[in-house]
Amino acid sequence: MVKPLRFSFSYLPELAGTLLVPLLIVLLCLPLRDWISPTDVAMLQLLWVAWQAQHYGWRWASLTTLVSVLILNWCFVPPYYTFDVHDASFFISFVVMVVLGLLISLLSDQSKQQLKRLRYAMSQTRGMYMLAKGLGQRQNWSQQCAYAAKLLSRRLGATVQVVQGQEPTAVAEQAVLAVGSPASAWILVPPCFLSSHATLLHTAQSLLAQSYAQLELREKAQQDRVTAQLEQQKAMLLRSLSHDLRTPLATIMGASSMLADPELQLSTAQRQQQAQNIYQQSQILNQHFEKVLELSKAQLTGHQIQLTDFSSDDLVAGALARRGEKATELTASLHCSAAESLSGDLELLEIALANMLENALYHGAAPFELQMGHKGSAFYIRLTNAVNDQAPSNRDKGHGLGINICRAVAGLHQGSFELQSSPKLQQITAVLEWPR
């Protein structure tokens, strides 16, 4: 049903274009009535009808057509200043003019509506593109929800909320759209936009659900990688333990069997030497068991690490406290960089740094330069010491197990551990890096 026109002061431009402009065209052409034909004036009036249809719609354009025909008949068709039409050709011209005016009005209005729908579709498409691009650039679910709410609010010109967690209680003047199944978030939007922007809102639902599923898959893949690395680290630690424990154990068994053999005559000096060997190898075994206990306390076999923010000074203090009597010797020749903010599993990193310092003390020479901080997208711990040519080269003092522990801690942080040797500078650098 066509709504009737409501005349008010807000329609003054439309009324002026409908009543005054056709009259003005005829009045301007009236002095030239003897030189131009009514058809020429009708063409000018149809031109104005097309303009009216483009700017104010087909209803005002149709009314302009009827007013134009009446004024043209009044001023340019003999007998002048009457509505009588004595010539049938003029009557046909008026009918054609009315039909053309109405046709121009309808076609112009259709093109206007198509243009409006095209602009709406382009706006919706741009909104969907920006939403998909923005969600892809954000790796955090909370950030994605906040971006979606901000973009939808800007595109719709109203407040839109994206709520995580449980379904929100009934909100006045708000429609609730579930994201995903089961729902991972909820979109709160005024009900009036459900029909006018249905495509954009449904696309936002779908994109958010896909982003959440992608984040879940990424997190599961990350957990699977950590699990595989844990299994690899456990196998590596078992191989290292098997080697590092068997050597001192074999020495203890051999020395003790010699002391226990009644047929073997040993001097007092020989017995003391074998007892000394047993004591030394027992200390090595004790060190190995302490490292194993460290691994057990740090729960290296777990699937999650506890990430916290801490200062590098706290890390150094904790690592030195784990080495007890060796802390005094290390502190005397240890030069640390200025305090920096780090992030990671503090207990695991304390274990790794304690083993780095212990290896440097056993197999290197002072001074020990310790640098910690972040560079680019990674944190790092870098320990540099001079080469000790007289240091023992075997692994019986736990050197190999300490390196494997550092590699295990680095692997749990998705990082790496390397020993870098510089023969020219006579230095060895141990570097542990992990992403921020």
Side-chain angles (χ1 to χ4, degrees), residues 18 49 62-63 94 144-145 147 158 167 210 221 224 327 336 401 424:
T18 301
V49 168
S62 300
L63 186 57
F94 293 153
Q144 290 183 349
C145 291
Y147 174 78
E167 182 178 3
Q210 293 176 22
D224 293 341
C336 299
L401 184 58
K424 292 183 179 181

Side-chain angles (χ1 to χ4, degrees), residues 248 251-256 258-259 270-284:
T251 303
I252 292 173
M253 293 176 63
S256 60
M258 290 177 63
L259 294 176
Q270 290 175 331
R271 289 180 178 277
Q272 290 179 348
Q273 180 63 39
Q274 295 302 321
Q276 183 67 23
N277 290 338
I278 292 175
Y279 176 71
Q280 291 177 351
Q281 298 303 318
S282 299
Q283 285 185 323
I284 295 175

Side-chain angles (χ1 to χ4, degrees), residues 173-208:
E173 299 181 357
Q174 291 287 335
V176 180
L177 301 177
V179 176
S181 180
S184 55
W186 311 85
I187 301 177
L188 303 181
V189 61
C192 59
F193 293 102
L194 292 179
S195 57
S196 60
H197 293 78
T199 304
L200 179 59
L201 292 174
H202 293 160
T203 303
Q205 280 183 279
S206 177
L207 290 175
L208 284 172

